[in-house]
Amino acid sequence: MSGKRALIRGTAILTITSFVTRFMGFFYRIFLGHTFGEENVGLYQLVFPVYALGISFSSAGTELALSRCVAQENAAGHPEKAKELLKTGLIFTFVLSCILTIFLQHNAHMTAISFLHDSRCEELLILLSYTFPFASIHSCICGYSLGLKQTKIPAVSQLFEQTFRILFVFLFCYYRTSHQLELSISFAVVGLAMGEIFASCYCLYSIHHTASKQVQNLLSASTFCIHLSRLFRHAFPLTASRVLLNILQSIEAVSIPVFLQYSGMSSSLSLQVYGVLTGMALPCILFPSAITNAVSSMLLPTVAEIQEMKEKRRLQAIISKIACSCIFLGCFCCIFLLISGKWIGIFLFKSPLAGSFILTLSWICPFLYTNTVLLSMINGLGKTTFSFIINFLSLCIRIAGVCLFIPIWGINGYLTGLLISQIFLFLCCILRLII
């Protein structure tokens, strides 16, 4: 299969899978809102910055490094080295994530009080910690598969994760309700862990049955150290940038309810507004990004492979076509949401506030969807430092929106800062790829 056909086929599979899982997740969030209430959804969303930070620290950088290194070894005709890289990545990330799990469990109370500013998050954080070891297995095997441009395992594991997460919460809530027992938002966090457990089990089963005997052989200590050194060189800047960016995103997320209180809202109302924004409006805006996320997942190894073969014209053609397509998609979604945003909020979420947020956020669509793909291209070219710098500056703009604009204009101040940050990121990416 040619590189172009592999890119299109892989993107199509990941896009369909992502649409299905987002469709499931879309109505799952509606269920959470109706079952637990807006304030509890806000509490649930409050632990996600910690979740994202843990994933970034334990496995996200290694997954991207694996994808790039495996693509290079595969293009060079060294599949055995690619398999050895997978085993090295699995061992390293699993040990790291186990350490992270123990650390979070011992510091859950301090994190809930000092960082999230809500003691009710302590139990949620302890339950959340169990996701990291399984997520590390899941992400490494997906990174390896994407490096080979094989999308079956990432696609099916994504479906497994979402299906078992939702199924567990549905069944547990049904059981508790039928027996007139109290419902807790902690069940939703347990659902996260269950989804990762089933997804990682599927990944391990698939790689065990599809891999050749070389994967099943033990790595020597010297081979492990060589591959770990190589992965670390690629993963460290990616992990460092992801961790720092997620720290900033976490600061941004936990600051929104705090600064909403400075604008005059009560603690309960600020958490409700935060829950509507992050649990209802933003998932609606991000729904079409299933396409651009799929493209970016396939683009990183593709760009690394083209760069390895030194085909500059082919690389420029791919960048131009995909960027234009993403801009067109974003403009179409912007117009659609401007027309139907209020209706979506009222009809689906029973929340006029969600409709108002969707209407305002629709303007970021052309920039948001395109930025995902442009950043993937930049990372695929190995320009991870530049990617980190512009992401860092973009987040600083968003945090400024939280700290400076929210006390004056309320939540609209944050939405304004979000739009400015996405425009800034878009312009920086375009200038870097042109130059």
Side-chain angles (χ1 to χ4, degrees), residues 119-385:
S119 60
R120 292 174 293 177
C121 292
E122 181 179 355
E123 180 188 359
L124 305 185
L125 290 173
I126 292 172
L127 294 171
L128 183 71
S129 68
Y130 291 104
T131 62
F132 298 127
F134 302 100
S136 68
I137 296 170
H138 181 193
S139 64
C140 280
I141 295 176
C142 286
Y144 169 77
S145 299
L146 290 172
L148 297 177
K149 298 182 184 176
Q150 296 173 358
T151 53
K152 179 185 174 183
I153 292 177
V156 176
S157 65
Q158 190 178 0
L159 282 172
F160 264 62
E161 180 190 354
Q162 188 77 304
T163 300
F164 282 101
R165 175 196 303 184
I166 296 172
L167 189 62
F168 172 83
V169 178
F170 276 178
L171 292 177
F172 212 89
C173 288
Y174 174 77
Y175 173 81
R176 302 281 294 187
T177 304
S178 62
H179 288 76
Q180 298 182 337
L181 299 172
E182 184 183 354
L183 291 176
S184 171
I185 195 63
S186 61
F187 301 148
V189 181
V190 177
L192 282 174
M194 295 302 295
E196 287 292 355
I197 289 170
F198 280 99
S200 62
C201 287
Y202 166 76
C203 288
L204 286 171
Y205 173 82
S206 299
I207 208 71
H208 175 75
H209 281 268
T210 58
S212 62
K213 291 181 180 179
Q214 287 96 328
V215 175
Q216 300 171 29
N217 293 333
L218 292 174
L219 286 173
S220 65
S222 59
T223 303
F224 175 80
C225 291
I226 290 169
H227 290 315
L228 182 60
S229 175
R230 180 182 176 187
L231 283 176
F232 190 77
R233 283 199 308 272
H234 289 285
F236 179 76
L238 289 169
T239 300
S241 63
R242 282 285 187 105
V243 168
L244 183 54
L245 292 174
N246 271 291
I247 289 173
L248 292 176
Q249 287 173 336
S250 301
I251 293 170
E252 174 197 26
V254 300
S255 297
I256 292 173
V258 174
F259 280 90
L260 282 173
Q261 293 176 45
Y262 292 160
S263 70
M265 289 186 183
S266 66
S267 175
S268 177
L269 182 58
S270 66
L271 204 55
Q272 287 179 29
V273 170
Y274 178 73
V276 171
L277 174 64
T278 57
M280 299 178 187
L282 276 174
C284 182
I285 295 294
L286 293 172
F287 191 86
S289 67
I291 299 173
T292 54
N293 287 341
V295 172
S296 64
S297 294
M298 294 301 298
L299 261 182
L300 193 148
T302 300
V303 168
E305 185 179 289
I306 293 172
Q307 188 184 34
E308 182 77 11
M309 294 186 290
K310 299 180 172 31
E311 296 180 1
K312 192 173 181 180
R313 286 189 178 180
R314 183 183 165 198
L315 181 62
Q316 290 173 341
I318 286 179
I319 291 172
S320 176
K321 289 178 181 177
I322 292 180
C324 290
S325 300
C326 290
I327 292 170
F328 176 79
L329 172 67
C331 291
F332 174 81
C333 292
C334 177
I335 295 169
F336 173 78
L337 292 171
L338 283 172
I339 295 170
S340 60
K342 281 191 175 293
W343 176 84
I344 292 172
I346 295 170
F347 180 76
L348 291 180
F349 297 109
K350 311 296 182 187
S351 173
L353 184 60
S356 176
F357 287 161
I358 292 168
L359 198 65
T360 306
L361 287 167
S362 62
W363 293 105
I364 74 170
C365 290
F367 309 105
L368 182 66
Y369 302 159
T370 310
N371 288 343
T372 303
V373 173
L374 296 179
L375 286 169
S376 181
M377 292 178 186
I378 291 170
N379 285 329
L381 291 170
K383 310 296 182 182
T384 52
T385 302

Side-chain angles (χ1 to χ4, degrees), residues 51-63 89-90 92-101 131-137 139-140 235 239 242-243:
Y51 177 64
L53 186 59
I55 295 295
S56 297
F57 177 77
S58 60
S59 58
T62 306
E63 178 183 358
L90 279 171
F92 174 68
T93 56
F94 184 76
V95 171
L96 194 62
S97 60
C98 287
I99 294 171
L100 178 63
T101 296
T131 62
F132 298 127
F134 302 100
S136 68
I137 296 170
S139 64
C140 280
T239 300
R242 282 285 187 105
V243 168

